[in-house]
Amino acid sequence: MPQHYSAKTLLAVASLALAAGLTGCGDSKSRTLADADAQPDAAFERYKTRFIDSLWYYNPEWASGAGYHRYDSLLVVPTEGRRRTEAKMLKRRGTELADFKVEELSVNNQTDWRLLQNYVQSSRFYADTLRDWQWNPASYNVGASVGEILNGRYWPLDRRLRAISHKISHAPDFYAAAEANINTPTKEHTELAIRQNEGGLEVLGKALQDSIARSGLTAREKEELATRLATTRLSIGNYIRFLKTQVLPAGKFRSFRLGEDLFSRKFAYDIQSTYSAGQVYEKALAHKQELLQDMKRRTARLWPKYFPAQPMPADSLAAVQQMISKLSEQHATQAGFVEAVKAQIPTLVQFVNDKKLLTQDPTKPLVVRETPLYMRGSGAGASISAPGPYDKAANTYYNVEPLTGQPAAQAESYLREYNQYTLQILNIHEAIPGHYTQLVYANRSPSLVKSIFGNGAMIEGWAVYAERMMLESGYGGNSDEFWVMWDKWNMRVTLNAILDHEVHVKNAPEAAVVAMLRRDGFQEEAEARNKWRRATLSQVQLSSYFTGYTEIYDLRQELKKQQGQSFDLKSFNEQFLSYGSAPVKYIREMMLKKE
């Protein structure tokens, strides 16, 4: 899933010299205040355009990710001076938004206003309070942005190479600023930074050099790019050595845990839910018990089929574990894992079409690929890299981390976790009709704001909802086997929210977290350890799945009750997706407004 589309992941921005040259970009008060003689919605529509223009100027890498490539050649240099410039800009944006009376806007524009306001407020929170630019060395990785440009298809190769050349010309300044920023980092993010920047060096290796060789660049341009490439590789190498020889040996680390106050505030900004972090935690605890009861009932029905000669254990959890272990024996091979993912996609497309669950767009390509090296190591075995609203025709990549090179025992544990049942559920979640489908719809949204400021809980929540919706529609033949494994899968989502809260708020240790995941989640050792790693590297994101799913499912059930026999699942799905990636609480307001 693309984490990807949030202001929270941005580094802070281009050089002060660039800022000095473009200070007029959307900042004039006379251009930004709502016109007194204009209709509120018309004035706000004009303002949104200026807001977004300014957004891309200040955040060129985010612009590139959204498919707006005007600033691809710029490298964000996160200096203290630039952070001050950003702070002044955000203050202006907040003042400008306050000029509009939100109650006078349409329901759609009220949502857009709240999304812009949340961006302004959360950006200040990230920069001034959370200050992750100090403690997360993995924030700094030139290779990632270069890789995205190199793999793009929106411009001819020569133009993309020129953009790369200009971008990496500032790599020494970028990494110098990164080293200056780092102050008492977490050990976990330091180790991740080393791994991902080593992957970044691979991006600047043979593939890029081959592209340069076959390009139409002049001899002088090729020589200049080769020099800049060598300098950039040296800068990355120096950064890696800095982390390995100075930061890690010094041992001066802060905890990766946020604590209750920061976690709750980050939850409010990132998730934008009707529920608080504490309420979601309590809901997840209750849902865990519901899932366990369902798994026990289905296991009792399945037991004679799979263990005809054995009495079922008196310990019902032990029986469920034994049943899951039996069902997990059927899985792909280590070498064929990525191909197994590819092979399932056409089946999902056909099922959605046959059941008329929503309208799909066959013109939007989905490409299953091995996860690029510079993206590996965060703990996400599969993810979606989708084109932004400006680049709608580009490929959507389904990134799958291959298992080749892993020890056989580790790979077997992973494959048992992603067995023939759960691998299909994973593909529903990541691809069809999950993330891939939702993001195709989001790019159609008439509101650019809703597409740009994608809400992670809505995006993840839709993917989880899609799993259940598919099974409820008959995918898997409504078998107890499939439902038991979905219960186990949905338990992951539920435990994600529980462990996220317990790790960052209640200081749960690794041993207790892994034991909970293995006992209550019936997870393989490798999966449980991997989830612990994710919890140490992210905060709040693990809560987004359960929160968004709960809100979407509750909304659907509410509308089914209201509409009775006239309720149509396809209409609900398509209407829900039509609002882009807005927070579920705002989509709910817009859908109920139409009732």
Side-chain angles (χ1 to χ4, degrees):
M1 60 167 244
Q3 307 178 350
H4 31 248
Y5 311 98
S6 171
K8 318 326 189 266
T9 60
L10 297 172
L11 300 179
V13 289
S15 66
L16 284 170
L18 171 66
L22 296 173
T23 52
C25 187
D27 291 341
S28 170
K29 187 173 182 180
S30 63
R31 295 177 59 209
T32 53
L33 297 180
D35 299 332
D37 59 347
Q39 291 295 321
D41 280 307
F44 188 63
E45 289 292 339
R46 290 195 294 274
Y47 177 70
K48 285 193 294 186
T49 299
R50 294 194 292 271
F51 189 105
I52 292 170
D53 287 345
S54 176
L55 178 77
W56 296 150
Y57 151 61
Y58 281 102
N59 300 283
E61 291 194 10
W62 187 9
S64 181
Y68 186 87
H69 298 291
R70 179 180 177 183
Y71 300 124
D72 277 8
S73 62
L74 304 181
L75 178 63
V76 295
V77 179
T79 62
E80 175 60 30
R82 184 57 189 183
R83 285 191 291 276
R84 287 196 298 268
T85 299
E86 272 207 323
K88 293 176 182 177
M89 176 274 294
L90 290 168
K91 184 176 181 180
R92 287 195 298 273
R93 298 295 94 91
T95 300
E96 292 160 3
L97 284 168
D99 287 335
F100 294 93
K101 295 180 180 179
V102 68
E103 67 277 3
E104 294 180 354
L105 301 175
S106 67
V107 175
N108 269 290
N109 271 334
Q110 286 180 17
T111 298
D112 285 359
W113 185 91
R114 293 185 182 111
L115 288 172
L116 297 183
Q117 182 190 51
N118 186 77
Y119 162 72
V120 169
Q121 294 176 345
S122 64
S123 296
R124 293 306 308 272
F125 166 76
Y126 269 75
D128 300 340
T129 303
L130 191 63
R131 300 174 72 85
D132 53 346
W133 50 270
Q134 282 188 333
W135 51 260
N136 181 6
S139 299
Y140 310 110
N141 184 355
V142 168
S145 58
V146 170
E148 293 303 315
I149 297 173
L150 181 63
N151 293 328
R153 294 293 181 268
Y154 46 87
W155 282 341
L157 175 62
D158 290 1
R159 186 171 178 182
R160 285 183 281 122
L161 289 175
R162 290 186 182 105
I164 290 172
S165 182
H166 191 277
K167 177 184 284 288
I168 65 175
S169 69
H170 298 288
D173 295 333
F174 175 88
Y175 281 108
E179 291 189 20
N181 286 342
I182 294 170
N183 181 14
T184 319
T186 79
K187 182 179 181 181
E188 293 76 11
H189 289 92
T190 302
E191 292 171 343
L192 178 64
I194 292 169
R195 177 172 179 177
Q196 290 190 334
N197 272 277
E198 287 174 342
L201 282 174
E202 294 292 327
V203 174
L204 303 179
K206 188 176 186 302
L208 180 53
Q209 291 167 351
D210 288 347
S211 295
I212 296 170
R214 71 171 186 270
S215 73
L217 297 182
T218 65
R220 180 177 179 180
E221 286 177 319
K222 289 182 178 180
E223 181 181 358
E224 183 177 54
L225 179 49
T227 301
R228 290 173 173 176
L229 193 57
T231 302
T232 300
R233 289 180 61 85
L234 181 63
S235 297
I236 295 174
N238 288 339
Y239 183 60
I240 293 171
R241 278 190 292 277
F242 165 72
L243 296 176
K244 284 183 174 180
T245 63
Q246 296 186 46
V247 177
L248 282 178
K252 296 179 180 178
F253 301 114
R254 59 155 278 170
S255 171
F256 61 83
R257 305 177 196 273
L258 289 190
E260 184 171 9
D261 179 60
L262 284 179
F263 184 85
S264 296
R265 293 174 67 184
K266 190 173 189 292
F267 181 95
Y269 285 126
D270 288 8
I271 306 296
Q272 300 180 72
S273 171
T274 55
Y275 305 121
S276 68
Q279 288 172 323
V280 166
Y281 174 63
E282 294 298 328
K283 284 179 174 291
L285 290 174
H287 188 58
K288 180 179 80 168
Q289 296 306 316
E290 295 169 3
L291 289 172
L292 287 173
Q293 290 304 313
D294 191 63
M295 295 170 84
K296 291 173 184 178
R297 286 193 296 268
R298 294 182 186 277
T299 294
R301 291 202 292 264
L302 288 170
W303 193 266
K305 177 179 177 180
Y306 289 92
F307 303 99
Q310 297 181 34
M312 196 170 82
D315 182 344
S316 56
L317 283 180
V320 172
Q321 177 64 71
Q322 194 169 338
M323 180 59 64
I324 289 173
S325 181
K326 183 68 176 178
L327 296 175
S328 299
E329 292 174 358
Q330 303 174 60
H331 57 68
T333 65
Q334 181 174 356
F337 182 67
V338 177
E339 288 302 317
V341 171
K342 291 181 182 179
Q344 287 180 4
I345 302 303
T347 301
L348 297 177
V349 173
Q350 189 65 46
F351 184 86
V352 170
N353 288 338
D354 290 347
K355 294 293 183 177
K356 297 180 173 60
L357 300 180
L358 44 73
T359 302
Q360 300 186 88
D361 186 348
T363 68
K364 305 301 182 186
L366 174 63
V367 179
V368 181
R369 69 175 180 182
E370 293 188 4
T371 304
L373 290 172
Y374 60 83
M375 292 176 62
R376 299 183 192 180
S378 65
S383 65
I384 287 288
S385 296
Y390 296 94
D391 199 17
K392 298 175 184 179
N395 291 340
T396 296
Y397 291 103
Y398 182 3
N399 309 303
V400 183
E401 198 154 333
L403 304 182
T404 51
Q406 286 191 11
Q410 181 179 335
E412 174 65 17
S413 178
Y414 189 88
L415 289 165
R416 287 177 61 84
E417 188 70 33
Y418 294 94
N419 53 69
Q420 74 162 13
Y421 300 103
T422 51
L423 186 60
Q424 293 179 72
I425 299 171
L426 172 69
N427 290 333
I428 291 171
H429 180 104
E430 295 291 346
I432 297 166
H435 287 319
Y436 160 73
T437 303
Q438 185 269 319
L439 291 166
V440 168
Y441 269 81
N443 279 344
R444 293 182 194 160
S445 172
S447 167
L448 198 55
V449 168
K450 292 183 183 68
S451 294
I452 292 169
F453 295 96
N455 177 257
M458 181 275 176
I459 294 170
E460 295 296 354
W462 169 264
V464 177
Y465 161 79
E467 304 159 13
R468 180 168 180 173
M469 185 263 294
M470 287 281 279
L471 265 66
E472 288 176 335
S473 300
Y475 189 84
N478 201 35
S479 68
D480 280 327
E481 288 91 340
F482 234 112
W483 276 108
V484 163
M485 298 307 275
W486 181 82
D487 282 342
K488 175 184 181 294
W489 185 270
N490 194 252
M491 183 67 83
R492 286 162 46 114
V493 168
T494 307
L495 293 180
N496 279 352
I498 293 172
L499 77 90
D500 200 21
H501 195 275
E502 292 191 349
V503 165
H504 288 285
V505 176
K506 297 180 177 292
N507 298 320
E510 180 178 2
V513 168
V514 171
M516 175 183 70
L517 294 174
R518 300 211 66 193
R519 180 189 67 246
D520 297 336
F522 310 100
Q523 294 182 13
E524 294 287 331
E525 177 78 18
E527 179 70 13
R529 296 288 176 187
N530 198 39
K531 193 56 60 70
W532 163 260
R533 177 172 173 77
R534 279 188 66 182
T536 67
L537 294 173
S538 67
Q539 319 87 26
V540 171
Q541 196 273 334
L542 283 170
S543 298
S544 61
Y545 305 83
F546 178 79
T547 308
Y549 157 70
T550 300
E551 291 188 301
I552 294 170
Y553 197 80
D554 287 350
L555 171 61
R556 193 189 79 174
Q557 296 307 97
E558 182 179 353
L559 288 172
K560 283 181 72 173
K561 185 176 180 180
Q562 285 183 12
Q563 297 173 6
Q565 294 296 318
S566 65
F567 177 83
D568 180 73
L569 181 59
K570 182 173 184 284
S571 296
F572 170 82
N573 290 338
E574 293 184 346
Q575 185 184 349
F576 183 86
L577 292 178
S578 71
Y579 296 106
S581 302
V584 181
K585 69 176 180 180
Y586 297 142
I587 294 179
R588 181 180 184 277
E589 289 177 8
M590 290 182 284
M591 290 185 73
L592 292 178
K593 196 80 170 180
K594 289 183 176 291
E595 289 300 302

